[in-house]
């Protein structure tokens, strides 16, 4: 649960007992460990100093020698030696270990040991902290002993949270939040739009129609599944299932004149009619009907629901409205996926990009290659990775950790496919290659070792993905040194064809469509393949391969042919469509003309504002690649909501709150980009000389995609917290037509129109959609925004980003709860005031705190009251 993770970060569970292992030289549960950032920009470099403090709570000394402390850390650690008498060793990926030097002193009972480490870059929030600590004793090297959860001490000083001297963005304060929210006006629910996402046209009618038990659903034969789905939804609302057949109520009718996915919804005093040319259109008409219902309709069983007469005419802006979920870095269960699919369908998203494989996990059963999940689907302490992968992202030493280990069985995957298909969501599987492939590489090496030991060389090498004589040296972005498939091996293509064959069989059995297979393609590191004998042999045989860069085009040409032979199309990350060349002797990437006419579809992710590649999506679309806009700057939902120590998530591409996907203009996002990756006000000059989207290129923008990478997302509550409410901005941009503020030429008028649209949007989200999600499908763990506070003339005013929540406060320094005073206006009470926002279920936001002083005080420049 996200709340539990937050408590762990604050150290409230630091004393929880871990299993006692009698054979160990010391009981690991008796060591309490905390960690803190000492300073960023350590020694004036792009590195930071942090410190572990180990406290011995036992009655016996902690040994000076004979141990190693393992942990995962998303920053590269210097080797040391460090203060505290230890050295650091990089194991692989994000796994490190500390070991005592010869002069180590151990820890006496009741005493502590402080260990300082230096790592690259910087740290800002609690998810930057080390994770998954465990001890390994030298006399028992194959066993890891999990330690108590780490206490992460908050960073409160500028040297702890400013990344470097030019970092102008401090931690977001309650006053900052108040300023951000100051122009948001409360709107009555009756004045809000009836339907979300915004339809093309809504024409008000006269009177009302009452939904109630006993109504009938009549449907054209081609819409039988949708009629059954609607009957199930009515049963959820009323507790009885309506009859399907002739009679008064809701009619699902076919209208061949409507476009794909388009529909009309007509509500009169006599009943409801939904018309569409295809089943998807009828389904979206049903979702619109649900959107029109009062938001609290799902809280309890209803006796009757009256809705206003109206006509809705609607069709989506894009045919590709996607969400990507990574289940590799940390695993998410079938139930998590089904809950995500349900909320996607409610807001008319129709593509589920399923990131099933990566360096840290292979998550889909391939029956003919059981090692993929037996080895590649599990993580735990291991010396040889023959039975599991090493720990990543804090998964710890045991292979039963639910975030580190897990996969979808054939039956799981079939259920997901059927569930998605029933909701008109296409599932696109991703098999990451040739980089980000370590789970598969190691699984096939384990398979090789098994069959070699049996003397079965042909079976051992049949699906091998690595040249065992390769001496190439490289490090991926995630610090792996052995995570890339060797594309010169014929067995690689045997492997890929087998995986695709079995995936196709799954889709056929489930009756689910499969047109594209996503084959990865991103972040292959420099240095790969350069010292591979197999590669050298291939280059001798194939003179078109002049260097290792050319292997890229060799590989994806073969993958394209492999997929085409199975009637499938190729899809991948942007790098798949790029070609390395040079300008004036300097490396340069251009859209690869070799693949541009092959219906390649690419996710373009690297449009970091201020990073230099802001125009990459448009360059590829102009070059005839089918482009799915997947940019980190607006659409990576694993980015933290704001710069706050308590706010989880990464931030290398910027902070992504609900506004970033909302103000994204797909075909001209230069116009409305507001801040760079560091949170500084964006200088429009960065777009000078950048390619703009041509009319021809615009036809190649197939849609938009939100993405959740799971490095910092270990459980279902955190997953939903990161996705919601950001998903609403994505849904609006994917479905609704281009808004007026996006096309308005006058900048002042555009800003005025945007302000009105934003105000309406946040009211719809806070007062309707999140109230709906409090109970819909069992309720969702969306993020509740923290109140903003402003101290003026001796009173504290509060506001909130999403109107509709109840703000409660205390004046005695205690945490607000469901019985605390309700905020209705500025509070003049003195002392420490704490505010929280509450939803209809009693869940609350983080606390916003301020001090309303008893007398006027001034602060010196060092922050000390005088």
């Amino acid at each position: 649960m996200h709340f539990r993770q937050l408590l762990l970060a604050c150290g409230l569970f630091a004393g929880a007992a871990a299993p006692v292992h009698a054979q160990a030289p010391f009981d690991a549960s008796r060591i309490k460990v905390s960690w803190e950032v000492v300073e960023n920009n350590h020694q004036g470099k792009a590195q930071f100093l942090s410190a572990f403090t180990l406290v011995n709570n036992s009655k016996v000394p902690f040994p000076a020698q004979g141990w190693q402390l393992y942990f995962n850390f998303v920053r590269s650690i210097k080797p040391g030696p460090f203060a505290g008498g230890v050295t650091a060793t990089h194991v692989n990926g994000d796994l490190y270990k500390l070991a005592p030097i010869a002069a180590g002193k151990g820890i006496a009972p009741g005493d502590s040991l402080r260990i300082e480490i230096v790592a690259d870059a910087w740290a800002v929030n609690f998810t930057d902290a080390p994770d998954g600590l465990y001890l390994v004793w030298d006399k028992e090297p194959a066993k890891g002993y999990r330690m108590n959860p780490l206490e992460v001490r908050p960073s409160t000083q500028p040297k702890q949270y400013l990344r470097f001297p030019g970092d102008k963005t401090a931690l977001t304060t309650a006053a900052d939040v108040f300023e951000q929210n100051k122009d948001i006006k409360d709107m009555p629910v009756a004045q809000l739009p009836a339907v979300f996402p915004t339809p093309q046209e809504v024409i008000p009618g006269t009177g009302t129609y009452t939904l109630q038990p006993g109504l009938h659903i009549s449907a054209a034969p081609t819409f039988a599944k949708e009629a059954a789905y609607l009957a199930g939804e009515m049963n959820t609302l009323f507790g009885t299932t309506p009859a399907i057949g002739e009679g008064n109520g809701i009619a699902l009718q076919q209208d061949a004149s409507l476009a794909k996915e388009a529909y009309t919804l007509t509500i009169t005093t006599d009943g409801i009619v939904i018309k569409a040319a295809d089943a998807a259109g009828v389904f979206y008409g049903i979702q619109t009907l649900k959107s029109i219902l009062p938001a609290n309709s799902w809280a309890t069983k209803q006796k009757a629901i009256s809705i206003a007469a109206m006509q809705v005419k609607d069709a989506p802006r894009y045919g590709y409205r996607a969400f990507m979920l990574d289940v590799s870095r940390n695993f998410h269960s079938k139930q998590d996926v089904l809950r995500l699919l349900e909320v996607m369908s409610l807001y008319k998203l129709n593509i589920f990009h399923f990131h099933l494989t990566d360096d840290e996990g292979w998550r889909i059963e391939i029956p003919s290659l059981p090692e993929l999940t037996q080895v590649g689907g599990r993580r735990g302490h291991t010396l040889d990775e023959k039975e599991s992968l090493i720990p990543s992202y804090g998964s710890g030493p045991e292979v039963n950790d639910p975030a580190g280990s897990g996969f979808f069985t054939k039956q799981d995957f079939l259920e997901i496919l059927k569930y998605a298909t029933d909701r008109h969501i296409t599932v696109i599987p991703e098999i990451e290659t040739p980089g980000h492939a370590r789970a598969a590489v190691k699984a096939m090496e384990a398979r090789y070792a098994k069959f070699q030991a049996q003397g079965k060389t042909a079976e051992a090498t049949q699906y091998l993905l690595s040249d065992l004589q390769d001496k190439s040296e490289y490090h991926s972005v995630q610090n792996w040194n052995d995570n890339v498939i060797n594309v010169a091996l014929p067995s690689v293509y045997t492997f890929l064809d087998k995986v695709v064959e079995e995936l196709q069989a799954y889709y056929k059995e489930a009756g689910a469509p499969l047109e594209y297979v996503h084959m990865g393609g991103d972040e292959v590191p420099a240095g790969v393949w350069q010292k591979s004998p197999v590669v050298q042999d291939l280059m001798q045989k194939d003179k078109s391969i002049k260097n290792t860069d050319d292997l890229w085009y060799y590989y994806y040409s073969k993958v394209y042919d492999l997929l085409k032979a199975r009637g499938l199309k190729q899809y991948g990350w942007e790098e798949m469509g790029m070609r390395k060349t040079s300008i004036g002797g300097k490396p340069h990437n251009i859209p690869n003309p070799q693949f541009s006419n092959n219906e390649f579809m690419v996710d373009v992710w690297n449009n970091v504002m201020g990073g230099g590649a802001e125009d990459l999506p448009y360059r590829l679309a102009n070059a005839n690649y089918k482009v799915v806009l997947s940019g980190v700057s607006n659409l990576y939902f694993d980015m933290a909501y704001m710069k706050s120590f308590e706010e989880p998530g990464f931030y290398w591409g910027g902070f992504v709150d609900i506004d970033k996907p909302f103000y994204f203009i797909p075909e001209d996002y230069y116009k409305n980009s507001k801040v760079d990756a560091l949170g500084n006000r964006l200088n429009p000059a960065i777009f000078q000389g950048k390619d703009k989207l041509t009319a021809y290129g615009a036809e190649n923008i197939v849609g938009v995609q939100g993405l959740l990478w799971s490095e910092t997302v270990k459980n279902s509550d955190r997953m939903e917290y990161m996705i919601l409410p950001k998903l609403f901005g994505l849904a609006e941009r994917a479905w609704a037509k281009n808004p007026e503020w996006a096309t308005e030429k006058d900048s002042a008028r555009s800003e005025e129109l945007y302000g009105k649209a934003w105000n309406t949007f946040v009211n719809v989200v806070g007062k309707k959609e999140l109230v709906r999600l409090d109970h819909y499908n069992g309720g969702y763990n969306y993020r509740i925004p923290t109140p903003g506070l402003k101290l003026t003339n001796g009173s504290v005013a509060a506001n909130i980003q999403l109107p509709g929540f109840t703000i409660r406060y205390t004046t005695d320094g205690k945490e607000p709860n469901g019985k605390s005073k309700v905020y209705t206006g500025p509070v003049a009470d003195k002392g420490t005031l704490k505010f929280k926002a509450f939803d209809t279920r009693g869940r609350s936001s983080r606390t916003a705190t301020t001090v309303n002083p008893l007398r006027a005080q001034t602060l010196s420049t060092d922050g000390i009251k005088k």
Side-chain angles (χ1 to χ4, degrees), residues 699-715:
E699 296 179 1
N700 286 321
I701 302 291
V702 299
V704 294
Q705 174 173 241
L707 308 93
L708 184 72
W709 299 99
S710 288
E711 291 96 329
T712 66
V713 184
K714 291 187 179 183
N715 51 57

Side-chain angles (χ1 to χ4, degrees), residues 622 692-700:
N622 291 343
K692 294 185 176 180
L693 187 67
T694 64
Y696 171 78
E699 296 179 1
N700 286 321

Side-chain angles (χ1 to χ4, degrees), residues 660-681:
K660 288 280 188 77
F662 178 76
Y663 71 58
F664 180 67
I665 303 174
E667 291 167 20
D668 186 13
Y669 59 77
Y670 302 169
K671 178 177 179 178
N672 220 38
S673 294
K674 300 178 187 298
V675 293
D676 64 17
L678 294 171
N680 300 319
R681 193 73 186 173

Side-chain angles (χ1 to χ4, degrees), residues 665 667-668 671-672 692 738-754:
I665 303 174
E667 291 167 20
D668 186 13
K671 178 177 179 178
N672 220 38
K692 294 185 176 180
N738 212 20
E740 191 179 354
W741 51 264
T743 56
E744 172 60 50
K745 298 286 192 292
D746 181 83
S747 59
R749 174 65 177 156
S750 176
E751 194 66 27
E752 179 187 353
L753 290 169
Y754 173 77

Side-chain angles (χ1 to χ4, degrees), residues 833-865:
L833 278 61
K834 295 191 173 187
F835 294 75
K836 277 187 176 183
F838 290 79
D839 70 7
T840 66
R841 291 174 287 175
R843 291 191 319 122
S844 64
S845 67
R846 292 207 317 273
T847 305
T849 304
T850 192
V851 175
N852 194 6
L854 295 173
R855 60 184 176 84
Q857 294 175 324
T858 59
L859 295 180
S860 69
T861 53
D862 61 5
I864 299 173
K865 294 175 183 175

Side-chain angles (χ1 to χ4, degrees), residues 3 49 72 79 102 128 207 216 234 247 262 265 278 288 606 689 782 835 851:
F3 179 64
L49 178 68
N72 296 109
D128 287 332
H216 286 69
M234 293 296 105
L265 167 66
D278 58 4
T288 290
N606 184 16
Y782 57 80
F835 294 75
V851 175

